Amino acid sequence: MASKICILHILTIISIFLPHAKSIHFNFPAIFNFGDSNSDTGELIASGIESLVPPNGQSYFQKPSGRYCDGRLIIDFLLDEMDLPFLNAYLDSVGLPNFRKGCNFAAAGSTIRPATPTSVSPFSFGVQVAQFLRFKARVLELLPEGKKLSKYLPEKDYFEKGLYMFDVGQNDLAGAFYSKSLDQILASIPAILVEFETGIQKLYDQGARNFWIHNTGPLGCLPQNVAKFGTDPSQLDELGCVSQHNQASKLFNLQLHALCRKFQGQFSDANVTYVDIFTIKYNLIANYSRYGFEQPIMACCGYGGPPLNYDSRVSCGQTKILNGTSVTAKGCPDSTEYVIWDGIHYTEAANQYVSSQILTGKYSDPPFSDKMPFLLNLKF
């Protein structure tokens, strides 16, 4: 673990000497986040639709935290570097949730397109935007009532000055492979992004001016997809990832990038930053040993053993009867050696690496290496 932290510090120091570029600043009073399990800090669990059991959360929170991870997510690391607290989920209702510095609407299983009766999450991107509009309206109703409430709520101008973060679209693609051909999936991408554009436009019309948009990662490298769609070796690339899934991810990202460029031209008074998560994660899987990992694709918490340690019938931490035998999806001894946590999501150690790469600024359009004063004192 110490060597891994050292590597991350070296990567950060190198980033300080990258060429400067005019772009987004990082002095935000609040964060408003939208997405799926990549950035869900407790929304789906707070809804009561699903539950998490140990060893989820073991590496940082010492208990399940509402995150589909052994610890912190990318968004947690990024907020920590901006000296902002972890975000409470919008649906958090117990324990005096504090929304002073923002709110998280992301929910695991969510899609950009409207949910269907078989969707894991009913909280599609359009619903999350509607929740934000309700949140904002309610905050503006309550703020005049005095200081007792204001310490839990964002200031009025935080809605304009805050950063709006997005990491969504993975489930639109991944879910489609169960019922559609690759050609059908590729043909559906423009319609998915029309839905995304509609949501962004609503937020802009409400005063949002700082947009931070993650593209989608290499879906084909997740054990869940390798187990289901990679049984034929000819379907795999040189890293053991399902080629068609990554092809869909790449086309989605290409069109998402073009949409972000459109936003950059259309919203002349806004900052729109596109972040290439796919390249960072694929590079991690391709060069895992260089960054201190030992397992690039096999799940840390799962059942079945090598090469994937993943069984869709038994989620991380669960015990079930399979073929008359009781089996448990257990965690591995050291999650810092693994890129993948539970077959679908990344470990805290992998999220830490991804965050360090995001913070170099070189995987973003526009790049922002000149705007990162906190890099000199990287906390992780």
Side-chain angles (χ1 to χ4, degrees):
M1 187 62 183
S3 63
K4 196 171 297 177
I5 293 172
C6 181
I7 290 168
L8 291 172
H9 277 297
I10 293 169
L11 289 168
T12 304
I13 292 168
I14 292 171
S15 74
I16 295 168
F17 298 100
L18 294 174
H20 287 189
K22 183 182 179 183
S23 59
I24 196 168
H25 69 80
F26 277 84
N27 185 25
F28 298 107
I31 305 292
F32 304 101
N33 185 70
F34 305 80
D36 52 33
S37 57
N38 289 312
S39 59
D40 180 357
T41 55
E43 184 80 348
L44 193 67
I45 302 306
S47 76
I49 292 173
E50 284 199 358
S51 60
L52 288 172
V53 296
N56 287 289
Q58 67 178 12
S59 296
Y60 184 79
F61 302 98
Q62 280 78 57
K63 61 183 179 180
S65 68
R67 294 160 174 79
Y68 288 75
C69 183
D70 61 312
R72 290 164 289 181
L73 306 178
I74 292 168
I75 189 171
D76 295 318
F77 286 110
L78 297 182
L79 264 65
D80 197 39
E81 285 307 308
M82 288 187 263
D83 286 323
L84 292 172
F86 295 159
L87 290 182
N88 280 118
Y90 172 67
L91 292 180
D92 272 347
S93 56
V94 178
L96 288 178
N98 194 317
F99 300 106
R100 177 73 174 171
K101 295 295 185 177
C103 184
N104 194 357
F105 302 89
S110 295
T111 53
I112 293 175
R113 300 188 88 170
T116 68
T118 58
S119 296
V120 173
S121 165
F123 307 113
S124 63
F125 181 55
V127 172
Q128 291 180 29
V129 171
Q131 289 176 328
F132 167 80
L133 298 180
R134 162 68 179 164
F135 174 82
K136 180 183 177 184
R138 187 70 177 134
V139 167
L140 297 182
E141 282 179 13
L142 292 172
L143 281 176
E145 296 187 10
K147 292 182 179 178
K148 186 175 290 188
L149 286 174
S150 64
K151 64 181 179 180
Y152 298 105
L153 304 173
E155 297 285 349
K156 181 180 180 180
D157 64 347
Y158 286 10
F159 291 107
E160 180 179 345
K161 295 177 180 178
L163 180 63
Y164 292 73
M165 302 179 75
F166 308 87
D167 191 328
V168 67
Q170 174 174 320
N171 294 317
D172 292 85
L173 300 179
F177 275 97
Y178 288 85
S179 60
K180 296 179 180 179
S181 68
L182 176 62
D183 287 344
Q184 289 174 318
I185 294 168
L186 299 183
S188 73
I189 290 173
I192 295 171
L193 290 177
V194 165
E195 195 81 30
F196 184 69
E197 182 176 9
T198 299
I200 296 291
Q201 184 68 56
K202 286 182 180 179
L203 294 171
Y204 178 83
D205 292 343
Q206 281 286 318
R209 290 298 179 267
N210 300 297
F211 300 90
W212 177 275
I213 300 170
H214 288 185
N215 72 10
T216 201
L219 292 178
C221 301
L222 298 175
Q224 180 189 54
N225 294 325
V226 178
K228 175 70 175 177
F229 301 98
T231 52
D232 180 353
S234 68
Q235 298 293 318
L236 304 177
D237 67 11
E238 65 277 7
L239 299 185
C241 304
V242 185
S243 299
Q244 288 195 348
H245 281 66
N246 283 351
Q247 186 179 339
S249 296
K250 288 176 182 178
L251 185 63
F252 176 88
N253 292 340
L254 190 68
Q255 294 185 29
L256 177 62
H257 195 179
L259 180 59
C260 289
R261 287 284 181 92
K262 177 183 175 182
F263 290 149
Q264 289 166 356
Q266 184 177 326
F267 304 151
S268 57
D269 59 341
N271 292 306
V272 180
T273 301
Y274 168 87
V275 186
D276 186 5
I277 297 296
F278 183 100
T279 296
I280 297 173
K281 288 185 173 178
Y282 196 76
N283 177 60
L284 170 58
I285 292 165
N287 302 289
Y288 64 94
S289 60
R290 181 186 304 174
Y291 305 115
F293 293 89
E294 294 184 14
Q295 296 292 343
I297 293 180
M298 187 166 79
C300 166
C301 186
Y303 170 74
L308 299 175
N309 194 35
Y310 177 79
D311 189 313
S312 61
R313 299 169 294 178
V314 194
S315 299
C316 176
Q318 290 186 345
T319 298
K320 288 192 174 180
I321 305 295
L322 298 184
N323 302 320
T325 303
S326 176
V327 301
T328 301
K330 298 178 180 179
C332 60
D334 185 358
S335 61
T336 67
E337 297 177 351
Y338 288 69
V339 171
I340 305 296
W341 170 237
D342 58 1
I344 307 171
H345 309 97
Y346 285 61
T347 60
E348 177 182 88
N351 289 331
Q352 180 178 337
Y353 167 80
V354 173
S355 303
S356 76
Q357 293 302 284
I358 291 171
L359 292 172
T360 67
K362 65 181 181 179
Y363 293 97
S364 297
D365 177 19
F368 55 83
S369 57
D370 64 324
K371 302 293 184 179
M372 312 299 283
F374 47 77
L375 277 177
L376 293 167
N377 188 31
L378 194 65
K379 296 175 183 174
F380 57 78

